[in-house]
Amino acid sequence: MSLFKARDWWSTILGEKEEFDQGCLCVADVDNSGSGQDKIIVGSYMGYLRIFNPHPMKPGDGVQPEDLLLEVQLREPILQVEVGKFVSGTEGLHLAVLHCRKLCVYAVSGTLGNVEHGNQYQIKLMYEHNLQRTACNMTYGPFGGVKGRDLICIQSMDGMLMLFEQESYAFGRFLPGFLLPGPLTYNSRTDSFITVSSCRQVESYKYQVLAFATDADERQEPEQQKLSSGKRLVVDWVLNIGEQALDICVVSFNQAVSSVFVLGERNFFCLKDNGQIRFMKKLDYSPSCFIPYCSVEEGTINTLIGNHGKMLNVYQDVTLKWATQLPHIPVSVKVANLQDLKGVIVTLSDNGHLQCSYLGTDPSLFQAPRVDSREINYEEFNAEMKELQKIIKEATKTQGILLQPDSSETVVLSVFLKGSCSPSELEGSCVVSYSTPTELNPEGIPKVAQCNFRLPLRLICFPTQSSKAANHKLTIDTNKPPISFLTIFPDFVDPSEDDQANVLGFQFLTGSKTTLLASKTSQRYRIQSDQLEDLWLITKELMLRLEEHFKKQNCKDFACSFSGSIPLQEYFELIDRHFELRLNAEKFQELLSERAVQFRAIERRLLTRFKDKTPAPLQHLDTLLEGTFREVIALADAAEENQANIFQAFTKLKSATHLVIMLISLWQKLSTDQVAILEATFLPLAEDTQELGWEETVDAAISYLLRTCLSKSSKEQALTLSSQLCMPKDTSRLKKNITLFCDRLAKGGRLSLSTDSATQQAAVMPGGCTTITESDLEERTVILGSTAMFPTNCCTARQGVGIYS
C-alpha cells in the first residue's frame, strides 16, 4: 500500500451509467439541523437528486442504508446544486437546483422516525422559474448589499446573465463580446460578478452597472448599444491570463488576505479584488478541479487541486505541501464537517464515485521473517549459478535476432491527381511503422522505416503527336552526343516509328502538350510548350534519364548546362496571377464578413418583431433577409471557387519555380549546398495560406541573401529586415528583388549561409561592380559580364521546325 494514498473514510458509487460534472456536488447543513454537521448533496445529469449523511462505524466502511437521507428523480438533467438563503421571510437554508430550462428552490426537512428505519426526509418545492434561455451555470450571494438573503444569477449558453430576487425575476443583461460561457462567481466585497470569457481573460462586472445598463430584451452590438436608451454595460477590470479557466472561487478568511482564485488549464492564479495578480503557480499537470480553504498559518491560504492523474495536491499559496493518490479522477472537490470530523475531503468523479477521505499515512506493518539457521551447500549453489549464467548468455545472444514469420504483407496505394493542373513534383516519401518480435519480446520492438520514391512520368502524361509551334522554348546543352529517345524513353515511343528517335510529344492529363526535340548535329535538347510550367517535369525527367543512361555506360563526366535566357517575365506573370487570386480571397472574406453582420442584424430585428405581443408589420425584413442569405451563399461559392483557383495557381507557380531554380543552377554551375539554399529561398512553403503566403516569404528570404552573402558593401549589410511578415500591396518589390538576385549571381556572387560570407564575397566579386538601383532595373534588359540574358520580354513565341541543328 502506498504511503501517500488518500485515506478512505467513506465512499459509494452513485447509480449506474450516470454522469456528473463540476456543479453537481455541494456540502451544507441543508436541513437546518443546527448541529453544524454538513450533508452531501449530489445531482446527476440523469435527473437524480441525492442527499447523504455519512457516519461509518469505522474508517473505510461502505455506505449504509441510513446514510442516504433522500433520493428523488426530478426528470430533468441537474446542472448545478447550491444551498443558500433563497426564500423570502426566512433566513433558513434552502436548496437551489438548476436545470437546463428551469430553476427550482426546495426546502429539505426531516421527520423524526418512530421505528428502527430512522428519520424520514422529504423536499418541498418553494418556487420555480421557467427560463427562456438554456442555462449553463449559476452563482448566488447578497447582490447589491442586501442583508439576510441570497439572490441568484444564472448564466445562459448565449451569454445572458439572468438575475432573480428570490421568488421574482429582476432583470437580464448580455455580456459584451460573448462567444462561449465560462465559470461564474460573485464577490460580495466588491459587489461584482467575475467570469472568464472566451477571449481568455478574467472580467469583473459591478452589480450596479448591470442593474442600470441597457435592458436585454434583445442582443445588441456595441454600436447599437450606444444609440439605445440606458447605460452601456462596461467591464470593471480585465486581466488576460492567456488560457481557458476551469473554475473561479472567491475566499475571505479572517487571518488571510481576501483573494480571487482562478484555476486555468496549465496555471493557478491568485488575484486581488481589483484584478491584480497576487501570485501564480505554473502546473506541470492537467488540473480537473480545485477548492481553497482556511490555512492554520496566518496570511496564507491552502488550496486543494485535483488532476487527471488521479492525484490531489495541497498547496500553501504556491508551495506544494502534500500530494495524495485518489482512486478516481475528481471533477469536483469540497471540504466538509462530517460526524465531528472537521476537514473531510469530499470528491466526486464523472461516473459517480463519491468519496470522503482524509490525509495521513499508514505505518508499515511488514516484519521481516526470521531466517532459519542452516548450513549452506556451496556445491549446489555453484551448480545453480552456472545454470543461470548459461541461460543469461543464451538469452543475450538471441536477444537481437528477429524471428522469421514466413509471410509478407503487400499494401497497394493509389495516387490521384488533385485539381485540374499537373503536379509540381513527382517525388514523395513513404513511412512504415512495424514491430519486430524477438524471443524475449514476442509482442515486438516498434520500428519505423522511411524511403523516398519517384512516381513514373507515365502516370500523369502519355505520348502524343509532337507540335512544331510553341510559346515557350528552352535549350539544354550537354557535353555528350544526343541519345535517341528510343533508348531513354522506351515507355513513350513506338520502336516501329523512326521519326520518334529525335522528336517526342507528351500530353498531360490536363490536356496541355509539351514537345521534346534532340539535335542531330549538336549536343543539345530543346523542350517547348505553350505553358511555362509544363516545361518543368519534362525537363527534369530528361536530365534524370540522361544521367541514368550515362551512369550505366560508366561515364562519370556527363554534365548539363544552360546558356539561354532565364524566363523571368513569364515567371513574373505567374506570380502576378497567384497574387491577384490572394487579393480576391481577401476581398471575398471582407464581403462575407459584412454580409454576415448584416444577416445577423436582420435576424435580430425579425426575432424582436416575432416576440412582440402586439403584431407589427415586418416592413419587408423577410425579403431583405432572403436577399442577404442569397448574397452570402453566392459569396461563399465564389470564395470556394477562388480558393480552388489559388491552389491551381500555386501549383503552377511551384512548377515554374522549380524550373527557374534548375536553370539558374545549370547556368551558374551551383554546388549541391548552393542549390539547397536556392530551393529553401524560392520554395519555403509546402502550402500557401492567407496568413503566410509565398510572396512575402520569398521576398524576405531574397532580401536576407541580398543583404548578407550577395551584398556589395557594408552599408547594405547594416540594413535591418522587418521581423513581421505581412501580405504586400503588390508584387513590384518582389520582382525587382528577384531580378537583382539574378544580377548579383551573374556578376560572381555565391550563395552561402556562413557568417563570414561578406568577406568571401568581396574576394569573389569582380572590381568596379556597383549596385543596380530599382530605376535601373526597369530600363536595363541585358546583364553584362555573363552569358545569360534577362530581357523584360524574354522567351517570346517563335515558330520553329521540328528538328533543329
Side-chain angles (χ1 to χ4, degrees):
M1 178 179 291
S2 173
L3 187 66
F4 296 100
K5 283 187 177 179
R7 307 275 71 82
D8 186 7
W9 184 71
W10 177 90
S11 62
T12 183
I13 303 296
L14 305 178
E16 295 183 359
K17 297 182 180 180
E18 294 188 48
E19 295 183 6
F20 304 83
D21 207 347
Q22 182 180 16
C24 296
L25 176 64
C26 179
V27 293
D29 187 15
V30 68
D31 58 345
N32 298 285
S33 64
S35 62
Q37 304 299 318
D38 292 328
K39 313 300 186 297
I40 301 176
I41 305 102
V42 183
S44 73
Y45 284 167
M46 298 296 291
Y48 285 95
L49 177 66
R50 300 178 177 93
I51 302 179
F52 292 93
N53 184 19
H55 51 283
M57 297 300 295
K58 61 180 180 179
D61 282 353
V63 62
Q64 301 297 323
E66 58 269 19
D67 293 345
L68 180 61
L69 303 183
L70 178 71
E71 181 177 15
V72 61
Q73 186 176 15
L74 301 180
R75 298 183 180 180
E76 295 184 25
I78 300 176
L79 303 182
Q80 190 172 347
V81 289
E82 297 291 349
V83 175
K85 303 174 183 179
F86 301 136
V87 178
S88 60
T90 176
E91 292 190 6
L93 298 178
H94 290 77
L95 176 62
V97 179
L98 179 64
H99 302 285
C100 296
R101 287 276 183 165
K102 184 188 296 184
L103 172 65
C104 300
V105 175
Y106 298 94
V108 181
S109 59
T111 304
L112 219 47
N114 297 323
V115 293
E116 61 181 5
H117 297 297
N119 302 336
Q120 297 178 359
Y121 285 81
Q122 59 271 349
I123 60 173
K124 178 182 179 181
L125 179 64
M126 304 303 294
Y127 62 87
E128 67 178 19
H129 293 289
N130 292 318
L131 308 179
Q132 300 299 321
R133 286 177 163 79
T134 303
C136 176
N137 50 26
M138 67 175 174
T139 185
Y140 68 96
F143 305 160
V146 297
K147 302 295 184 181
R149 56 180 180 151
D150 291 324
L151 281 61
I152 298 177
C153 176
I154 299 177
Q155 180 180 210
S156 67
M157 295 297 292
D158 58 350
M160 182 180 181
L161 297 183
M162 298 172 284
L163 286 93
F164 298 88
E165 295 183 356
Q166 296 183 340
E167 291 85 352
S168 61
Y169 172 73
F171 58 85
R173 301 289 183 263
F174 277 108
L175 295 177
F178 180 87
L179 182 60
L180 294 173
L184 177 69
T185 190
Y186 172 73
N187 189 351
S188 60
R189 297 184 299 272
T190 59
D191 192 27
S192 58
F193 297 95
I194 303 175
T195 184
V196 178
S197 67
S198 54
C199 298
R200 299 183 175 183
Q201 57 188 15
V202 185
E203 300 176 354
S204 175
Y205 296 91
K206 290 283 189 180
Y207 173 77
Q208 297 296 333
V209 175
L210 288 170
F212 292 102
T214 306
D215 195 13
D217 289 336
E218 62 179 50
R219 193 167 184 175
Q220 297 176 335
E221 297 294 334
E223 293 77 6
Q224 296 175 336
Q225 288 184 2
K226 296 178 182 179
L227 304 177
S228 303
S229 60
K231 295 183 179 180
R232 184 167 61 93
L233 180 57
V234 294
V235 66
D236 183 30
W237 55 261
V238 173
L239 175 66
N240 192 335
I241 60 175
E243 59 183 322
Q244 295 295 340
L246 303 180
D247 198 4
I248 305 177
C249 188
V250 177
V251 297
S252 179
F253 304 120
N254 295 331
Q255 74 275 20
V257 181
S258 301
S259 305
V260 178
F261 288 87
V262 180
L263 180 64
E265 294 174 320
R266 285 297 179 185
N267 294 279
F268 170 58
F269 303 89
C270 178
L271 314 178
K272 299 179 182 179
D273 286 338
N274 59 0
Q276 296 180 354
I277 297 180
R278 284 189 57 219
F279 62 81
M280 66 173 290
K281 174 69 175 178
K282 185 175 180 60
L283 306 176
D284 56 355
Y285 51 81
S286 179
S288 60
C289 60
F290 88 127
I291 184 173
Y293 66 98
C294 183
S295 174
V296 295
E297 185 175 339
E298 186 175 355
T300 62
I301 299 177
N302 287 1
T303 308
L304 290 172
I305 302 181
N307 61 40
H308 289 274
K310 299 182 180 180
M311 294 293 294
L312 191 65
N313 297 329
V314 183
Y315 291 91
Q316 188 177 75
D317 288 347
V318 296
T319 305
L320 180 63
K321 291 296 185 179
W322 196 264
T324 183
Q325 183 76 42
L326 293 174
H328 57 266
I329 299 176
V331 295
S332 183
V333 58
K334 303 292 181 183
V335 177
N337 297 330
L338 302 174
Q339 295 297 315
D340 298 326
L341 183 62
K342 296 182 178 180
V344 177
I345 301 173
V346 184
T347 56
L348 177 67
S349 69
D350 59 351
N351 58 357
H353 191 163
L354 179 64
Q355 175 174 314
C356 298
S357 56
Y358 60 93
L359 301 180
T361 59
D362 282 344
S364 176
L365 302 178
F366 174 77
Q367 293 182 356
R370 186 178 179 180
V371 180
D372 295 335
S373 58
R374 57 187 179 92
E375 295 182 0
I376 300 176
N377 189 342
Y378 291 100
E379 294 182 357
E380 183 180 349
F381 280 0
N382 286 335
E384 184 179 358
M385 177 65 72
K386 291 180 180 179
E387 186 67 23
L388 292 175
Q389 289 178 346
K390 183 179 179 181
I391 295 175
I392 294 174
K393 187 176 181 180
E394 292 295 329
T396 306
K397 289 181 179 179
T398 60
Q399 184 175 8
I401 300 178
L402 301 179
L403 298 178
Q404 303 296 329
D406 296 331
S407 61
S408 60
E409 194 76 20
T410 302
V411 180
V412 179
L413 301 179
S414 300
V415 181
F416 301 92
L417 185 64
K418 183 178 180 180
S420 58
C421 58
S422 301
S424 59
E425 51 192 10
L426 296 177
E427 289 78 7
S429 61
C430 181
V431 180
V432 177
S433 59
Y434 61 97
S435 60
T436 55
T438 63
E439 292 183 356
L440 296 181
N441 188 1
E443 295 182 358
I445 302 174
K447 293 187 177 181
V448 175
Q450 181 178 2
C451 69
N452 298 326
F453 62 89
R454 178 177 174 83
L455 296 174
L457 182 65
R458 191 64 185 264
L459 198 63
I460 61 170
C461 64
F462 52 90
T464 186
Q465 186 68 29
S466 59
S467 177
K468 298 182 179 180
N471 296 331
H472 305 277
K473 301 178 182 180
L474 60 89
T475 302
I476 301 297
D477 299 323
T478 64
N479 59 352
K480 299 296 179 180
I483 306 300
S484 172
F485 292 154
L486 298 174
T487 303
I488 59 176
F489 285 97
D491 50 338
F492 281 89
V493 297
D494 186 359
S496 61
E497 299 182 7
D498 296 336
D499 57 343
Q500 292 185 341
N502 298 88
V503 181
L504 192 58
F506 302 87
Q507 182 172 348
F508 292 96
L509 297 180
T510 57
S512 57
K513 296 182 180 180
T514 301
T515 301
L516 178 62
L517 305 97
S519 176
K520 294 183 178 180
T521 58
S522 61
Q523 303 172 354
R524 295 179 176 180
Y525 298 88
R526 172 175 291 176
I527 307 95
Q528 58 188 28
S529 177
D530 289 335
Q531 307 293 334
L532 177 65
E533 63 273 9
D534 291 337
L535 299 175
W536 156 242
L537 289 178
I538 304 302
T539 306
K540 177 67 174 179
E541 190 72 19
L542 172 65
M543 294 183 60
L544 289 177
R545 297 201 179 196
L546 286 176
E547 291 175 357
E548 183 180 359
H549 171 77
F550 286 106
K551 186 177 181 180
K552 293 180 180 179
Q553 302 295 328
N554 293 327
C555 179
K556 299 181 180 180
D557 60 342
F558 172 74
C560 297
S561 60
F562 178 73
S563 59
S565 302
I566 304 295
L568 287 185
Q569 186 62 31
E570 288 76 4
Y571 183 53
F572 291 160
E573 292 178 0
L574 292 175
I575 294 177
D576 291 336
R577 172 58 179 166
H578 175 257
F579 186 74
E580 179 185 0
L581 292 174
R582 288 186 62 196
L583 292 178
N584 292 341
E586 277 197 343
K587 294 178 182 177
F588 283 128
Q589 187 174 0
E590 293 176 359
L591 291 174
L592 271 173
S593 179
E594 293 176 0
R595 293 299 182 270
V597 171
Q598 177 180 332
F599 186 78
R600 289 193 294 268
I602 300 172
E603 272 188 327
R604 284 192 294 270
R605 290 183 176 272
L606 275 175
L607 288 174
T608 303
R609 297 292 177 90
F610 291 148
K611 290 181 179 180
D612 195 355
K613 296 181 180 179
T614 304
L618 297 180
Q619 296 179 348
H620 302 290
L621 285 176
D622 53 343
T623 305
L624 186 58
L625 182 69
E626 182 180 0
T628 307
F629 174 76
R630 291 180 178 178
E631 289 184 6
V632 170
I633 296 300
L635 285 173
D637 293 339
E640 185 177 2
E641 181 181 359
N642 186 78
Q643 195 64 32
N645 293 335
I646 289 180
F647 172 79
Q648 182 176 352
F650 185 60
T651 304
K652 294 181 178 180
L653 180 59
K654 286 198 296 185
S655 298
T657 303
H658 278 295
L659 180 65
V660 170
I661 292 174
M662 172 184 284
L663 296 180
I664 293 178
S665 63
L666 294 177
W667 162 49
Q668 286 293 313
K669 297 179 174 58
L670 300 181
S671 63
T672 304
D673 294 338
Q674 292 174 329
V675 173
I677 296 175
L678 201 62
E679 291 177 346
T681 302
F682 282 88
L683 294 170
L685 302 176
E687 293 184 3
D688 190 43
T689 61
Q690 285 295 112
E691 293 78 12
L692 184 62
W694 182 88
E695 287 79 7
E696 55 266 29
T697 310
V698 173
D699 184 49
I702 294 178
S703 300
Y704 174 79
L705 293 178
L706 292 176
R707 286 162 174 77
T708 53
C709 62
L710 297 180
S711 62
K712 297 292 186 67
S713 63
S714 59
K715 182 179 180 181
E716 289 187 0
Q717 297 179 11
L719 296 176
T720 58
L721 298 175
S722 175
S723 60
Q724 183 177 4
L725 293 181
C726 58
M727 186 175 177
K729 296 181 179 179
D730 52 44
T731 59
S732 58
R733 171 187 167 87
L734 172 62
K735 293 187 287 189
K736 292 175 183 178
N737 280 340
I738 293 177
T739 309
L740 184 59
F741 175 83
C742 296
D743 173 67
R744 296 281 175 89
L745 289 179
K747 293 187 176 180
R750 285 295 175 262
L751 299 176
S752 174
L753 296 180
S754 60
T755 55
D756 56 345
S757 58
T759 305
Q760 300 173 0
Q761 188 68 20
V764 175
M765 301 287 280
C769 191
T770 59
T771 304
I772 298 180
T773 61
E774 295 185 353
S775 59
D776 294 337
L777 289 176
E778 297 177 355
E779 299 176 0
R780 298 186 58 175
T781 58
V782 180
I783 297 178
L784 302 177
S786 172
T787 58
M789 302 176 61
F790 296 89
T792 56
N793 57 347
C794 60
C795 278
T796 54
R798 294 178 292 174
Q799 299 292 333
V801 295
I803 303 299
Y804 67 98
S805 60

